[in-house]
């Protein structure tokens, strides 16, 4: 049985190593050479079998056989020691004993360099092996040394004129740089990796004539490895289109060579990239092909990897029943074969299905059982502890998605403790993010901010710019939750600067999403739309089409908010702002349908309906409202359901069916009351009590006016890879490219200032003055404002003045507010007096 499980193995590492094929072939032939002494034949046989054990993912057996071979060769044939040592180092690294592997390699290198003359080929091979072992799962200084060892190997091979080994030296260098980037995300590491990979590819595709068929195989294999490396590095640089193209090329080469395991690994990697691009059908096909290959190879480890990826593809394509059928069938087969590794791997995949079925506790339970099962796999203690910590962290994420926040917090704390004992800094910081989300969802923003500071400190220590930027976004979410919008704005801009400096498009888009939402909360709809539009463009450039659709919706909402501030009548030509809002809403709906996401489609239909009503085409809105309502009810999106019912009431008003509008509004009010949403209840009451109808008659306006109680934004929106806990939802969002979760109820975006409650009998002049000043200060962004100061001189620009007039109109209904209000009554004192003189209750 293979020792290890899917999460303990890395396809990227396997596909970038210098293959041991030539060594295996060479010593298999020596084992049959009767001219050699018996001990040499035995050592050769052990070494060839050790290489075969490496190929079949049995590193424990490979270690034992390689040790036997090395011990004999040390006594009888020094020239065979470098190759025997390479097999042993590779096996030790696979068996999670890198410390011994590095110690053996460094001692051997020292011996070679102390000899005279130095065997340069053996020296280069030792450097190559050291670089490969030190690149993965080793810490800071060793990763730096890995790059130096690889560079030394390249220099020696150039000197020797061995282009094949020089190219593999470049692969080792690329591997070291990629891993430096993984542990401390900086663009320069991946760019250096790309440069090394291109050098390797150039050498592999234009090599000198090979001396043997085996050497030719190694060269073509190198070509595929370089292509895989480019696919990986381009993915890290967020160029997913290039990444997919390179992975396809690599898979084609592996297929031509007949190397089934490598082909399967590449196809599984390709499937994940295709899911990132939203290519669910293509991802499913690649995942199925990979799984078939690993079933044929009888590799439980890689079957688990491919199975989980295929299940994700099925779930993203809304094929939940097919995914359930698949995991049930695989589980039955593994149980029949008593394959414990396969059972554990299938539990992992089953957990994904359970989450899609809405059973977060069941999903977490599957992972818990997988951890128990792993105790019997013969894993190293550190490897097991890392596996336990990883699955505990994933259980926390499952609970978070299932809105079981206390369970999520407890599991995240446990995972953090386990990672801390292992000194896994990156994993510690990542787990803190889950803790932050859980804390925010349980209204403990102050604690969440402390945890984001801890994460930021870890990322700063690691010099990980990407992680630091994401931690600042989480910090922004905490500040937003606490209502500190000004500081949240500063933090979001800081995060954006970090991402922009590293040219990390997805992170920059996430920061812009937060900025757009914060501007919306402050009532600055123009800036909100600008940020959303830029984020949409960035996500399109990064080929993150779900996020693009989400930001298109956000842009439409902002433009709708801005258009609602305009003063226009049915018999007048619609302002340009209405046209832009309508076009943006249509575009949001188109993009949402393209990515086939019914939740996004529902939100887009809602904003389309709102723009239709606003543009006096209410009869066109009803179809969109009904379709969106169907989705909201089916997916239990109660806040959205209430908002849509409220829109339905507004259509009734536009049709002149006042009594029906009041009945429909009662339905919306009941849902808002159930959810504890005061603002929604107030909007519904305006229709139920007839306040809106009376105002409409007084103003002699029809359709949508400034006082129409239409929510500026859908009250609840799922986040699709837009990072952290967004101010749009007050709920966690998933990682890049993964489905979101239903957040807890949150109120629609409030107006820029909360109106004061009017006392019975009408407000006094002092109360009116206080209200006017409060509204003006909220829009200007100041804490002080003189009653006799001209508001426009104090910073109330033309856009803010429109909203100021709109808010004042809503607050003091029945008071005529001329379009030239700011010029007729330039100070707060004069405006307050105008309101007092014309107040009718």
């Amino acid at each position: 049985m293979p020792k290890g499980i899917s999460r303990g193995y890395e396809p990227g590492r396997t596909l970038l190593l210098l293959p041991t094929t030539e060594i295996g072939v060479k010593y298999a032939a020596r084992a049959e050479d009767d001219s050699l002494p018996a001990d040499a034949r035995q050592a050769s046989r052990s070494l060839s079998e050790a290489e075969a054990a490496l190929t079949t993912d049995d590193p424990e057996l490979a270690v034992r056989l390689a040790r036997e071979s090395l011990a004999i060769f040390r006594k009888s044939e020094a020239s065979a020691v470098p190759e025997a040592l390479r097999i042993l180092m590779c096996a030790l690294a696979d068996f999670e004993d890198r410390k011994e592997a590095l110690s053996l390699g460094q001692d051997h290198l020292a011996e070679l360099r102390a000899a005279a003359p130095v065997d340069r080929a053996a020296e280069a091979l030792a450097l190559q092996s050291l670089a490969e072992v030190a690149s993965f799962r080793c810490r800071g200084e060793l990763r730096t040394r890995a790059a130096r060892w690889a560079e030394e190997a390249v220099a020696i091979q150039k000197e020797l004129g061995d282009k094949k080994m020089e190219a593999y030296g470049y692969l080792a260098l690329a591997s070291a740089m990629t891993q430096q980037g993984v542990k401390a995300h900086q663009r320069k590491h991946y760019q250096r990796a790309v440069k090394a990979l291109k050098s390797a590819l150039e050498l592999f595709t234009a090599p000198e004539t090979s001396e043997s068929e085996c050497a030719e195989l190694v060269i073509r294999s190198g070509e595929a490895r370089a292509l895989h490396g480019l696919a990986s590095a381009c993915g890290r640089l967020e160029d997913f289109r290039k990444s997919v193209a390179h992975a396809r090329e690599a898979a084609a080469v592996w297929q031509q060579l007949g190397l089934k395991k490598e082909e399967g690994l590449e196809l599984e990697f390709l499937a994940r990239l295709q899911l990132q691009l939203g290519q669910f059908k293509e991802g499913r096909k690649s995942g199925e092909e990979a799984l078939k290959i690993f079933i044929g190879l009888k590799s439980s480890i890689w079957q688990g990897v491919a199975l989980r990826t295929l299940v994700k593809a099925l779930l993203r394509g809304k094929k939940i029943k097919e995914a359930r059928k698949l995991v049930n069938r695989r589980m039955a087969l593994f149980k029949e074969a008593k394959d414990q590794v396969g059972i554990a791997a299938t539990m992992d995949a089953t957990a994904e299905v359970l989450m899609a079925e809405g059973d977060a506790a069941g999903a977490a339970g599957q992972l818990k059982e997988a951890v128990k099962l792993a105790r019997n796999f013969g894993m190293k203690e550190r490897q097991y502890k890392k596996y336990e910590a990883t699955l505990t962290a994933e259980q926390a994420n499952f609970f978070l998605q299932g809105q079981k926040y206390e369970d999520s917090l407890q599991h995240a704390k446990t995972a953090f403790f386990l990672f801390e004992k292992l000194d896994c800094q990156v994993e510690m910081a990542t787990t803190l993010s889950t803790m932050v989300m859980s804390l925010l969802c349980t209204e403990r923003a102050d604690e969440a901010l402390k945890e984001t500071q801890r994460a930021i400190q870890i990322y700063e220590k690691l010099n990980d710019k990407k992680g630091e930027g994401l931690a600042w976004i989480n910090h922004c979410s905490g500040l937003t939750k606490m209502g500190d919008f000004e500081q949240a704005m500063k933090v979001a801009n800081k995060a954006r600067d970090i991402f922009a400096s590293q040219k990390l498009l997805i992170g920059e888009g996430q920061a812009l999403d937060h900025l757009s939402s914060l501007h919306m909360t402050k009532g600055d709809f123009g800036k909100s739309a600008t940020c959303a539009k830029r984020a949409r463009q960035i996500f399109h450039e990064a080929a993150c089409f779900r996020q693009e659709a989400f930001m298109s919706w956000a842009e439409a909402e902002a433009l709708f908010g801005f258009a609602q501030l305009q003063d226009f009548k049915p018999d007048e030509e619609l302002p340009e702002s209405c046209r832009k809002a309508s076009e943006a809403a249509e575009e949001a709906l188109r993009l949402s349908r393209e990515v086939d996401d019914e939740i996004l489609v529902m939100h887009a239909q809602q904003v389309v309906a709102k723009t239709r009503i606003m543009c006096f085409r209410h009869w066109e809105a009803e179809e969109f409202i009904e379709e969106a309502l169907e989705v909201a009810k089916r997916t239990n999106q109660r806040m959205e359901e209430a908002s849509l019912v409220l829109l339905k009431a507004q259509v009734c008003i536009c049709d002149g069916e006042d009594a029906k509008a009041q009945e429909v509004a009662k339905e919306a009010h009941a849902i808002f009351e159930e959810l504890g949403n005061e603002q929604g209840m107030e909007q519904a009451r305006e229709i139920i009590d007839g306040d809106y109808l009376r105002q409409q008659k007084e103003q002699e306006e029809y359709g949508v006016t400034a006082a129409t109680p239409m929510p500026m934004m859908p009250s609840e929106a799922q986040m699709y890879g837009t990072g952290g806990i967004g101010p749009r939802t007050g709920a966690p969002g998933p990682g890049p490219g993964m489905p979101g979760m239903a957040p807890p109820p949150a109120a629609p975006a409030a107006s820029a200032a909360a109106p004061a409650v009017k006392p019975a009998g009408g407000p006094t002049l002092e109360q009116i003055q206080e209200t006017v000043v409060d509204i003006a200060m909220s829009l200007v962004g100041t804490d002080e404002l003189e009653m006799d100061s001209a508001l426009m001189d104090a910073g109330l620009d033309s856009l803010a003045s429109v909203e100021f007039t709109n808010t004042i109109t809503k607050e003091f209904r029945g008071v005529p507010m001329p379009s030239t209000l700011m010029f007729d009554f330039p100070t707060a004192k004069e405006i307050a007096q105008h309101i007092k003189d014309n107040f009718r209750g």
Side-chain angles (χ1 to χ4, degrees), residues 510-706:
Q510 292 169 357
L512 283 164
D513 175 19
H514 279 67
L515 287 168
S516 171
S517 183
L518 287 165
H519 283 305
M520 176 73 86
T521 303
K522 293 178 66 178
D524 195 338
F525 302 114
K527 288 183 179 178
S528 177
T530 299
C531 289
K533 181 178 181 179
R534 177 59 186 143
R536 175 169 61 84
Q537 293 168 339
I538 284 174
F539 284 129
H540 179 79
E541 185 179 346
C544 296
F545 301 119
R546 258 178 171 66
Q547 292 94 325
E548 178 191 5
F550 178 85
M551 293 316 302
S552 182
W553 162 79
E555 181 186 4
E557 283 287 354
L559 290 171
F560 165 76
F562 179 71
Q564 270 208 306
L565 300 179
Q566 312 304 301
D567 186 16
F568 57 95
K569 298 179 180 179
D571 57 349
E572 297 175 347
E573 183 179 349
L574 290 175
E576 180 71 8
S577 59
C578 290
R579 183 186 64 78
K580 287 184 177 180
S582 295
E583 290 177 353
E586 295 287 350
E587 178 68 2
L589 183 55
R590 182 185 69 80
L591 291 173
S592 298
R593 282 175 170 159
E594 280 187 3
V595 298
D596 193 25
D597 188 304
E598 65 176 1
I599 301 297
L600 275 178
V601 169
M602 175 187 69
H603 291 314
Q605 287 173 325
Q606 186 179 28
V607 74
V608 168
K610 290 193 292 188
T611 55
R612 289 286 202 278
I613 298 172
M614 180 176 65
C615 294
F616 309 110
R617 293 156 58 190
H618 62 275
W619 58 89
E620 297 177 1
E622 192 167 1
E623 178 184 351
F624 295 104
I625 293 171
E626 291 299 335
E627 288 182 15
L629 260 174
E630 183 182 339
V631 175
K633 290 176 180 178
R634 186 173 67 253
T635 57
N636 198 33
Q637 303 278 319
R638 295 288 283 164
M639 193 67 77
E640 287 304 329
E641 181 183 349
S643 297
L644 287 161
V645 171
L646 199 60
L647 278 181
K648 194 174 179 179
Q650 291 163 345
V651 172
C652 294
I653 291 172
C654 294
D655 281 334
E657 299 177 332
D658 298 346
K660 184 177 179 181
Q662 290 172 320
E663 288 304 311
V664 173
K666 287 178 183 178
E667 182 184 345
H669 185 278
I671 301 174
F672 283 129
E673 187 174 27
E674 173 193 329
L675 299 173
N677 189 302
E678 290 291 340
Q679 184 179 0
M681 292 165 63
E682 175 60 27
Q683 290 175 333
R685 276 196 297 267
E686 288 183 354
I687 296 176
I688 297 168
D689 297 341
D691 292 346
Y692 169 79
L693 299 174
R694 284 192 293 273
Q695 182 192 0
Q696 185 183 50
K697 291 174 182 177
E698 287 174 2
Q699 296 183 342
E700 297 182 350
E701 293 182 357
Y702 300 90
V704 176
T705 69

Side-chain angles (χ1 to χ4, degrees), residues 322-366:
E322 288 187 42
R324 165 57 71 182
K325 184 178 179 181
L326 174 64
V327 295
N328 286 348
R329 184 169 66 250
R330 298 309 306 162
M331 180 65 81
L333 290 170
F334 281 130
K335 284 183 175 179
E336 183 181 342
K338 297 181 180 180
D339 186 336
Q340 299 299 301
V341 173
I343 292 171
T346 307
M347 284 179 173
D348 201 348
T350 302
E352 297 287 343
V353 178
L354 285 166
M355 277 305 302
E357 294 173 341
D359 186 359
Q366 287 286 310

Side-chain angles (χ1 to χ4, degrees), residues 727-741:
R728 297 183 191 284
T729 65
M738 298 307 296
M741 54 164 281

Side-chain angles (χ1 to χ4, degrees), residues 301 376 452 456 701 748 790 822:
I301 297 171
N376 304 318
T452 61
I456 289 166
E701 293 182 357
M822 302 304 300

Side-chain angles (χ1 to χ4, degrees), residues 3 121 167 190-191 396 484 590 622 650 789:
K3 303 296 181 182
Y190 298 123
Q191 288 176 325
D484 191 348
R590 182 185 69 80
E622 192 167 1
Q650 291 163 345
S789 298

